[in-house]
Amino acid sequence: MHSYRLVVGLMAVAGFALGGVFITGCAQAEDNPPKPPKKSFVPLYNGKDLSGWEVLDGNIEAWKADGELLSCVGEGGGWLRTEEMYSDYVLKLEFRVPPNGNSGVGLRFPDEGNPAFAGMEIQILDDDGDEYTELKDSQYSGSIYSEVAAKRGALKPPGEFNSYEITCKGPFIKVVLNGKTITEANIDEYDKASGDYKPLRDRPRIGYIGLQSHGSRVDFRNIDIKDLTNSITDPDTKVEMAYVDIVEGEGDAVGEGDAPTIHCTGRLLNGEKFYSSHDGAGQPLALPLTGYIPGWQLGIPGMKAGGRRKLIIPYQLAYGLRGFPPSIPPKAMLVFDVEVVKVK
């Protein structure tokens, strides 16, 4: 997209129609909002039934809730996925596979496509199984399947429970297996993929969490998640958006009347990039915050120079019902990665 066209698109004029309501500007956030309280881990599995989960491309009969265990007990289970989408979080779980067992944990995958390639899969495998002696390095446990190889040596034998702690924070993915960090990746750096699949860089930054059925029994327990995002509510429209600080920053804080120098990358919900100030000549933006879309006016104040923040903006605080053709479709939720270079 031409840079002039982008700047015009990001700018929010003095008054615009939004969902049938005429809005004039956007209420400003505090210059230095208080830090939100730290969140705790909450269970994704209730220990009783499959409430909160649904099956994708499989049979619900293949999955069984049995006390502390959530298990795949038959073939054809597809993926058991959460009903809700998540973007930035720490996910803890324990898993157990039999000899030659195979499964996976799906991250940030959309409604359509194979979760392993439309989103990401953290592999679960009996790494020493005799069926898996000739796999690629990136197909063993803890790897971002087929893309980023994990360090080996931390996996317990089949029949024993292993623990994963998986962190998704902005573009950074970290996998800890049984207390040992085995995978660390910045997906922004992966611009090529195996086969004909999307590079990791272009995959969604928000989506479902899932557990894979791959023909063998697999048991899961203690499936807990800590949401790393914070929310801001626009007091006029009562519409809520989310954000997460990827890097806190140590410089001056952005105030509501400032014109900070900003680099940004904007993506659709499916991961498709519609703009980046890093492309082309790599020129950052430097306009007053009041000239941008409402989601920026709410989400950027309080950021510090050197900071980096992910903004998840619903259409009501972005481009409304009409979108911004041809790059942004109607009613599009947008994900921005914003870096504050300096504050005026």
mmCIF file of all heavy atoms in Angstrom, residues 154 163-165 176-181:
data_model
loop_
_atom_site.group_PDB
_atom_site.id
_atom_site.type_symbol
_atom_site.label_atom_id
_atom_site.label_comp_id
_atom_site.label_asym_id
_atom_site.label_seq_id
_atom_site.Cartn_x
_atom_site.Cartn_y
_atom_site.Cartn_z
ATOM 1 N N ALA A 154 15.104 -33.493 27.053
ATOM 2 C CA ALA A 154 14.344 -33.205 28.274
ATOM 3 C C ALA A 154 13.089 -34.060 28.403
ATOM 4 O O ALA A 154 12.406 -34.007 29.436
ATOM 5 C CB ALA A 154 13.957 -31.728 28.312
ATOM 6 N N SER A 163 5.608 -32.124 31.315
ATOM 7 C CA SER A 163 4.946 -30.831 31.465
ATOM 8 C C SER A 163 5.457 -29.845 30.421
ATOM 9 O O SER A 163 6.661 -29.763 30.163
ATOM 10 C CB SER A 163 5.189 -30.266 32.870
ATOM 11 O OG SER A 163 6.546 -29.933 33.067
ATOM 12 N N TYR A 164 4.529 -29.117 29.837
ATOM 13 C CA TYR A 164 4.838 -28.006 28.941
ATOM 14 C C TYR A 164 4.435 -26.692 29.621
ATOM 15 O O TYR A 164 3.380 -26.609 30.277
ATOM 16 C CB TYR A 164 4.024 -28.101 27.648
ATOM 17 C CG TYR A 164 4.681 -28.820 26.501
ATOM 18 C CD1 TYR A 164 3.893 -29.332 25.464
ATOM 19 C CD2 TYR A 164 6.051 -28.970 26.415
ATOM 20 C CE1 TYR A 164 4.469 -29.987 24.382
ATOM 21 C CE2 TYR A 164 6.626 -29.630 25.345
ATOM 22 C CZ TYR A 164 5.840 -30.142 24.334
ATOM 23 O OH TYR A 164 6.416 -30.788 23.265
ATOM 24 N N GLU A 165 5.269 -25.690 29.419
ATOM 25 C CA GLU A 165 4.879 -24.310 29.679
ATOM 26 C C GLU A 165 5.181 -23.546 28.396
ATOM 27 O O GLU A 165 6.332 -23.386 28.013
ATOM 28 C CB GLU A 165 5.650 -23.705 30.854
ATOM 29 C CG GLU A 165 5.232 -22.266 31.146
ATOM 30 C CD GLU A 165 5.925 -21.678 32.363
ATOM 31 O OE1 GLU A 165 5.654 -22.170 33.471
ATOM 32 O OE2 GLU A 165 6.742 -20.742 32.191
ATOM 33 N N VAL A 176 8.909 -24.526 27.311
ATOM 34 C CA VAL A 176 9.681 -25.127 28.400
ATOM 35 C C VAL A 176 9.130 -26.532 28.626
ATOM 36 O O VAL A 176 7.927 -26.710 28.867
ATOM 37 C CB VAL A 176 9.568 -24.288 29.690
ATOM 38 C CG1 VAL A 176 10.323 -24.972 30.834
ATOM 39 C CG2 VAL A 176 10.103 -22.878 29.455
ATOM 40 N N LEU A 177 9.995 -27.530 28.533
ATOM 41 C CA LEU A 177 9.613 -28.932 28.717
ATOM 42 C C LEU A 177 10.279 -29.449 29.988
ATOM 43 O O LEU A 177 11.515 -29.457 30.088
ATOM 44 C CB LEU A 177 10.046 -29.764 27.508
ATOM 45 C CG LEU A 177 9.887 -31.278 27.618
ATOM 46 C CD1 LEU A 177 8.432 -31.690 27.827
ATOM 47 C CD2 LEU A 177 10.462 -31.980 26.373
ATOM 48 N N ASN A 178 9.457 -29.860 30.957
ATOM 49 C CA ASN A 178 9.971 -30.396 32.223
ATOM 50 C C ASN A 178 11.013 -29.482 32.862
ATOM 51 O O ASN A 178 12.044 -29.926 33.380
ATOM 52 C CB ASN A 178 10.545 -31.802 31.998
ATOM 53 C CG ASN A 178 9.489 -32.779 31.524
ATOM 54 O OD1 ASN A 178 8.326 -32.704 31.928
ATOM 55 N ND2 ASN A 178 9.876 -33.683 30.634
ATOM 56 N N GLY A 179 10.732 -28.156 32.796
ATOM 57 C CA GLY A 179 11.605 -27.182 33.436
ATOM 58 C C GLY A 179 12.780 -26.718 32.605
ATOM 59 O O GLY A 179 13.529 -25.829 33.035
ATOM 60 N N LYS A 180 12.957 -27.245 31.403
ATOM 61 C CA LYS A 180 14.082 -26.884 30.550
ATOM 62 C C LYS A 180 13.573 -26.157 29.306
ATOM 63 O O LYS A 180 12.691 -26.663 28.607
ATOM 64 C CB LYS A 180 14.858 -28.136 30.128
ATOM 65 C CG LYS A 180 16.064 -27.836 29.247
ATOM 66 C CD LYS A 180 16.807 -29.108 28.868
ATOM 67 C CE LYS A 180 17.993 -28.806 27.956
ATOM 68 N NZ LYS A 180 18.715 -30.053 27.574
ATOM 69 N N THR A 181 14.118 -24.976 29.028
ATOM 70 C CA THR A 181 13.736 -24.234 27.825
ATOM 71 C C THR A 181 14.306 -24.938 26.608
ATOM 72 O O THR A 181 15.530 -25.103 26.482
ATOM 73 C CB THR A 181 14.245 -22.788 27.890
ATOM 74 O OG1 THR A 181 13.670 -22.131 29.030
ATOM 75 C CG2 THR A 181 13.868 -22.025 26.624
#
